[in-house]
Each structure stands twice: as structure tokens, then as C-alpha cells.
């Protein structure tokens, strides 16, 4: 068992540390709890990913990639639900933004760069990727429209009310969710061959460790999910204190914590696939993960918020909307020729850096 | 003759109904007249299209598609001129926006979906379509610039006047119109082969009915045009009353009425072509029609408005500008690989739906 | 020697005229000096380009194109430094904007049109061009973010200060500059083959005149650079007087003077290459030149301005940002299929014209 541990797994030591900080009164320190909870979620999200990988090994790269992305995003969904329950709408929205741009800029950029250093050109099926980037554009439009609505309607006396914004957002969330169902039908049913890595997908499991039994995989998945849920509650409960202590904004925390912590699992898997020249799978993980956040997690949060009686709308701040649009366009531009090289990885990372600089300097905007 | 009737032709029954509602004092009802005029225009626009089709049958797919789009748009031009004469500038602009987005989102989306359900991948000449989508981008820029001008110039005391806006719009309209002439030269003269459906265009007429004589075609064209002109006057004359009765805004009416009523002819033809796997022709009709609205109808309306002494500028509302830009980008993204599939049809329709939701919720903005 | 003179070289006569207007008190006329300095820079920039060309002849098309663009841009850098020293920040920013859009719209548009009239389709390596257009998108994002920052931060009391804007701009300038270094590594080291014109690059010098000795080339380069520096000082010193006399704005002057005067060298070379069907080289010159302005000249000006103690930020006006974004997107759209035709030249020139109309009508915005 021990030899199966990856370097990141040593971060599991932060699970008991976080528990101690939370439940031993003498050790109570909110900033420390925030940091330790975040660090502890990283290997747990990774374990969720590995368990999923073992479960999905015989289901082909398409479904495997999708399942991977699903449970990579389960961590984000759990964190967001905890924040929603506490009424931290600004953190929820920032974490959605951070997840979307983190996956297609940071995760994909690192993958393309790492793969590009080893291989001169890496090829992938551009029809498969294009269907995802187009859906991402759709999502970006879905996030842009509520802001346009607000700024235009507000110019009319009585033209804008929170209730109207919520109805508009609910209607858009339904459209995005239905489009997601169709996207899944496309990638898992009618055109699944496009997502299999161009026919040269080998039968070897992408994992280098011996296969886990389904029983073990399910057990790990359940335990890791429960632990992530608990730690997310700690994380969200201390975000306000940590934010003030660290002197950064809610938005910056949401975007950085989620892009780094929540996506660490996808991150390592995507980079690893790129270095094995499986760019179809790397792109599938990174772009698919953003897609799932935008077309599945965001609408689900809107639906849940309505059921909880404190409706969340889809109106993001202008910098968030701009960040998503900019990230989607760069990815569409880079992927439209069906090949990548190391410079494109640098370009994606540069855009991520420029956006991180913006959010670092921005005063709190929620 | 009767067996040549298409299902939509039964809507012709609304022509006498509309006449009765307008000229029999006892039957006067403005909302009913609005609805019946709209319904009656649909088959008339279709007849104009079929007459054009018969006329153009021997001219090849390129010119055929263009003529089709021209007379499909003759209905919009007539409606817009009627509205312009009545000073309903807001309706005119909304109908231009609705026509542009209706053709490339609703008509094209339905075509791609209908074709994609039958055929796994449908191919078309991407150079031909790219020249059109680039011209559409140019048009989107042309509609964006006056808004940028207004918001920037208005920040300077005395920096913005309606007269300056009109001069700026007139200059841009001239550039768009001249570009349109060059676009026609490209598609009809120097590079016409690109628009012929990749060489596998067959000699069969796309129409399933026996060929009309040129005389019959011209007669039908003239009568249908005159009828459309009359019904457009009814439509425009009742728009204000209907708008209030239906509880929707001028913009929503302009965008929905035109996208559905004015483009019904292109709609059925484009869907039909897609189902026959003639994607070049389907794209030519849908994208070409938007192009013609943006680079021909809009500038012509500006020129005519100057001659009429009540100049119309090209400043559209922010939501209208955003709708056009968003629609053009999605189409450019979808068409840049030279093939379509059913999911891309769903994506185009989703964007249309999101924009329709926006315009439904927006308070009147003109 | 005389038979080597190009038509544009006769403009060299304006060098002594400008000197006379500047140093003979009786002839002092600021508008005339402005015009003559501008005209005199054109052939000097051209001479710098030709000297560079002779120097780089044996270095292959990739480096040759880069060197060409560098010294074509040396004129802009010199003009901008002179303006910066005089505190004319508005002119500096306008000249950066003008250079970026001038190269990819005016220079590239004219090249594509001139080449397209002679050749039905012209091909180029799209991976090479795509890496440049993606970097241009990155630059456009870098120029957009400070404006987003300003408008968002200003909505918070105390949320925006010039010092914060300068720090943000400095950080972004560093990211852009580092990306530029990587772009150079890509085009000159790891993937230089892509920039060599697809393998069919011939050994013939692109110049039709006999090769200059390295000594002569260096001498011409030094003398021309010194002369451009002197004339730039005249140009910048008279811009305010000329602006008022001609009744146009600082922005319009910056954008027109630089796009025409500063880029005349690239202009003639790029058009000439396109007419010889060397589209790789023509694109390399035009797009590479914009790239260098955005990722090298702009950051260098920010760094120099900090060293000079009067920091320049990267916040451009909304119309400037829109112009750059719009130009970059049209170029990305046109170049993504690896071929050009004459209509695409017309489309690029149309966008340039529309933007020129905007800047002509805009009141002073700095």
C-alpha cells in the first residue's frame, strides 16, 4: 500500500491536523484551519480521482475522462454547496469562475507545456475538442447575459429587481443544463469514437499502479467524499477570517483556492497524460472539467439555491465575466488546429497570470 | 395547382382575414390584425422564395442561393421601410437584429440539427463560409462602433450630438455597403466555384415541383411582393397596440416577429437542403441572409432614412450589439472546421434561446 | 547608386527641408515642420529596413523577417520615447494602438489584397501564424485588463489609485515581456522551420538590388537611425500645434501618423512579398510587427517610464482597447485556414476604415 503513495499523498497528514485545529479548543486558529483544510483536500480530491480511474478503467477513454472530471469536480461542488448554505454567494461565484479558468488556463497550460517540452507537436481530435470549446462559449454567453441584463435594465426606473434577475438566471440555467445533457449524449453515445483518442488508444490502463478491486475503489471514493465534505465545511467556515488575515479579497480566495486546491486532481492527471502524449485525454480532462463546472455545477447550484429558499442568480462581476470569456477564446484559438506545442502552454499560463494579477489588485467586488 | 400547395400555404387564408379586419369597421381589432398580418406574410414570403427559386434554377447554386436570400429578405426590407416611414426606429433596429441572429442561430441551428440527425457529419466548403462569417464579423464591428462612439463621446461636454452620430453612421454604412459589393464580386465572379457545393452539385432542381414558366414566376413574385407590402403596413400600424396588449416590448416583438415571420421562407428551404445533405446551400442561405441584412439592408435603410429627411443612425442598444457579436462568434467557431454535426445545431439553438430569454425580460430599451 | 533609389526615396528631400524649417528662424512653421518631419521619416525607416534586409539576407526568412520587423519598429520606439520624454502619454498610447492595428489591418490588408489580385489563393504555414495571432490575443487581453480594473475598482470608495494602476500595469508588462522572450525562442530556436516559408524558400535574396557589404549596411543603419531620432523630436515637438491647426485629436494623429509614417517600411516590404507569393514572409512582417509593438515596445516603454520617474500605465481608452481586440479577432479569423484571397484583404482594409472613422469623429479622449 505504501509504495502506491504519490508524493502529494503525504499531504494527507493535514487531515488529522485540521481535525485537531477544529475540535481541540486550545489549538483553535482560524487561518491555520483554513490553510490545513485546503491542503488536506488536495490529496483527498486526488484519491477520489484515482478511485474513479480504477472504476472507469474498462469503460474506455471517453467515459473514463468524463468520470475523472466528474469526481474531480465533486470536490468543487461540495465546497460550493457548503458556501451556498452559509450565504457566501460571492465565494461560490468566485469559485465557479476560478474552476472554469483554472482548468482551461492553468491545468491545460501546464499540460500543453509539459507535453510540448517532450514532443514537438501533439495531435488530438479537433472535432471532439471543438464541441467542448463551443459549449464553453455557450456557457460564457450564459454568464455574460445576466450582467448585460442588469446594466441595461437598471437604466430604466423600476426596470431591474432581484426577482427578475433570479427568474432570468433560472431560465438560463435550464438552457445550460439541457445543453449539457445533449453534450453528454454526443460524447458518450452518438459520436463517442471522436473521444477515444483517434483510434490509437491502447488497452493499457493509464494508471501505473495495480488495479483496485471495485469494492476497494467504491470504499475509497465514499470515505474521501465524506472527508472532503467535512473539510470543506472547515474551509468555508474560516474563509472570512483567513481572508482578512491574509489581506486578500473573497474573489481572490475563491479563484486561487479552487483553481489550486479543487483542481489538483485533474491537474496531475492531465499533465501526466500530456507527458505520455495522450493529448486527447489531457484535453478531455481539462476542457471537460471546465465544461462540467459551467454547464452542470453552476446550474445545479442555481436549482439547489432555489430549493433552499435563498435563490442565487447567475450575475457575475464584470472582471469574472471577462476572465471567463477571455479564457474560452484563448482555448478556442489554440485548439482549433488540432495540435499543440509548448508555446501554446506558455500562452495559456500567461493569460492565467494576467488574470491572477487582476484579481489580486481588485478590491472586493461582491 | 392545388397539389403544389405546401402545408404552410394554408396560412394564405389569413390574407383575406387580415383585409377584413382592416377594412370592415365592425371587425376592427388591432391585436387580431397584427397577428393575422404576421401569419399571412409567412406563406407570401415563401411564395416569393419559390418564384425566385424557379427563376434562378438555371443559374447554379451560388446565384440561386443569393437570389433566394434576396427575396427572403425583401419581406424584411419592406417591413422595415414601413416602420421607418412611421418613425418606429426602435422596431426597425430590433428587426435588423432579429433577422441577423434569427438566420444564423434559429434557421442555421434548425438546419444543422435536422441534417445532423440524418447524417453523422456534413461537410461544406469552409473557404466560402469563412468569407461570409468574416464579413459578418465586419458587420458586427460596424454595429458596435456607434455604441462605443456614443458612450465615449458622451463623457466629454459637448462631445456627442445626434448629428455626429448620424454622420458617423452614414460613413460606416458606406463602408459596409462597399464591402458588400466586393463580397458579391467574390461569390458571384472571381471565386464562384467555392459556392457551388464542392463540385458534387447535381443538375436536378432543388424543387420537387414541376418548373414554373418565367412568366408565371415573375407574376407570382410581383403579386406576392405587393401583398407583403400591404400586410406589412397593417403589421407596423398595429405593432404598438399589439405590444401593449401582449405585454411585451418593442424589441421583443421586432426580434421575434422578424426572426419567425420574415425568415420563414429561408427557414424551410435551409432545413430542407440540410436534410438533403446540401450543407453548402443551407449555409449559403442562412449565413448569406444574415450577411445581406447586415451589409445591404441596414446600409440601405440608413441611406433611405437620410433621403426621407429623418436620418436613422446605426447605434443599437447594448443587448442588441451583444446579441449580434455573440451570434457571429458562435457561427464562426462552429463553421471553421468545414463540417457540422447535430450537437452544433443544438448549440446554435441554445444561444438563440438564451438571447430570446434576455429580450423577453428586458424592459423597453428604445 | 542612383538606380537603386526607390520612388519613396525621393521623400528624402524632406530631410533638409525639415532641418531648414527647424533651424532657420525665418522659416519657422510648426505645422509645416510636423508634416515634413513625418514625410522625411518614411524613406529613412525604409532605408533602415533595406539595410537590415541586406544584413539578414543569409540568416533565413525567419530571422530576416524578425530583423525587418525590429528595425521597422525602431522608428516607432524612437518616436514613442521622444513623446514619453515630453509627457505626451496620450500620443504614446495612441501610437502604440495605431501601430498594432496599422500593421495587421492596413499593412496586412494591402498585402493580402495585392497578392490576391495576382494569385487566386495564397498559402502559408498556419501553425506559425497562429502562434503569433494567439500572442496578439494575449497582448489584447493585457491592454484590456487595466481598463477593466479601473472601471471596476473605481466603483469602490478608495478602490482605485493611479499608483495601483501603475503597479498592475508593471506586473502585466512583465508577463507580456516574458511571453515575448518565449515567442522568440519558439520562432528562432525550437520551431524555426515553421517560419521558413514551408520549405520552398529559395536562396535568392528577396531584394532585387545587388547585395550591400555588411559595412555599408551597418553605416546606413546607424545614420538612418540617428536621423529618425532627430526628426522624431521635431515631429513630437510640433504635434500639439499641428493637431490644433488640422482640427483633429491627439488620438487620431497618433493612430494615423504612426500607422502610415512609422510602418511605411513594413508596408512596402510586405506588399512586395505578397505580390511575389511569399505569404509566409508577408504575414511574418505584418503580424510579427504588431506582435513586437504589443509584447516588446509597449512593455519597454512602461519599464523606461518607471526608470524616468514618470510611470506610464497600460490603461488605454475604451475605443483603443476595442480597436485592438477587433483587429486581432479579424486577423485570427482570416488566418486560421492557412490561406488568403483578395476578399480577405478588402475585409481587413474595411475594418481599418471603420476604426479610422471612429477615431476621426471621437473628441479628444486623453
Amino acid at each position: 500500500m505504501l509504495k502506491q503513495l504519490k508524493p502529494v499523498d503525504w499531504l494527507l497528514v493535514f487531515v488529522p491536523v485540521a481535525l485537531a485545529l477544529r475540535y481541540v479548543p486550545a489549538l483553535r486558529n482560524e487561518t491555520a484551519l483554513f490553510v490545513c483544510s485546503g491542503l488536506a483536500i488536495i490529496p483527498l480530491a486526488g484519491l477520489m480521482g484515482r478511485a474513479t480511474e480504477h472504476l472507469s478503467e474498462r469503460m474506455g477513454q471517453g467515459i473514463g475522462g468524463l468520470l475523472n472530471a466528474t469526481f474531480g469536480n465533486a470536490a468543487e461542488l461540495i465546497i460550493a454547496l457548503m458556501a451556498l448554505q452559509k450565504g457566501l454567494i460571492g465565494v461560490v461565484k468566485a469559485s465557479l469562475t476560478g474552476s472554469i479558468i483554472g482548468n482551461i488556463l492553468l491545468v491545460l497550460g501546464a499540460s500543453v507545456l509539459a507535453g510540448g517540452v517532450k514532443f514537438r507537436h501533439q495531435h488530438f481530435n479537433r472535432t471532439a475538442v471543438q464541441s467542448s470549446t463551443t459549449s464553453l462559449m455557450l456557457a460564457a454567453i450564459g454568464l455574460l447575459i445576466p450582467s448585460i441584463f442588469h446594466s441595461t435594465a437598471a437604466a430604466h426606473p423600476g426596470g431591474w429587481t432581484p426577482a427578475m434577475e433570479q427568474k432570468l438566471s433560472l431560465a438560463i440555467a435550464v438552457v445550460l443544463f439541457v445543453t449539457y445533457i445533449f453534450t453528454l449524449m454526443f460524447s458518450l453515445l452518438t459520436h463517442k469514437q471522436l473521444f477515444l483518442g483517434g483510434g490509437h488508444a491502447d488497452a493499457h490502463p493509464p494508471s501505473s499502479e495495480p488495479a483496485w478491486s471495485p469494492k476497494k475503489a467504491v470504499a475509497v471514493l465514499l470515505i474521501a467524499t465524506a472527508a472532503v465534505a467535512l473539510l470543506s465545511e472547515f474551509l468555508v467556515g474560516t474563509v472570512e477570517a483567513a481572508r482578512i488575515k491574509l489581506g486578500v479579497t473573497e474573489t481572490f480566495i475563491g479563484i486561487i483556492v479552487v483553481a489550486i486546491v479543487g483542481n489538483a486532481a485533474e491537474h496531475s492527471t492531465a499533465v501526466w497524460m500530456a507527458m505520455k502524449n495522450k493529448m486527447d485525454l489531457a484535453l478531455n480532462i481539462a476542457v471537460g472539467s471546465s465544461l462540467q463546472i459551467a454547464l452542470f455545477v453552476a446550474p445545479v447550484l442555481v436549482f439547489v439555491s432555489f430549493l433552499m429558499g435563498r435563490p442565487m442568480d447567475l450575475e457575475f462581476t464584470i472582471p469574472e465575466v471577462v476572465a471567463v470569456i477571455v479564457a474560452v477564446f484563448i482555448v478556442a484559438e489554440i485548439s482549433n488546429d488540432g495540435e499543440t506545442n509548448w508555446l501554446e502552454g506558455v500562452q495559456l499560463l500567461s493569460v492565467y497570470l494576467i488574470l491572477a494579477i487582476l484579481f489580486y489588485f481588485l478590491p472586493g467586488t461582491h
Side-chain angles (χ1 to χ4, degrees), chain A residues 245-259:
Chain A
K245 192 85 172 195
L246 301 172
V248 293
T249 62
E250 228 177 15
T251 312
F252 189 76
I253 287 258
I255 283 172
I256 293 308
V257 165
V258 171

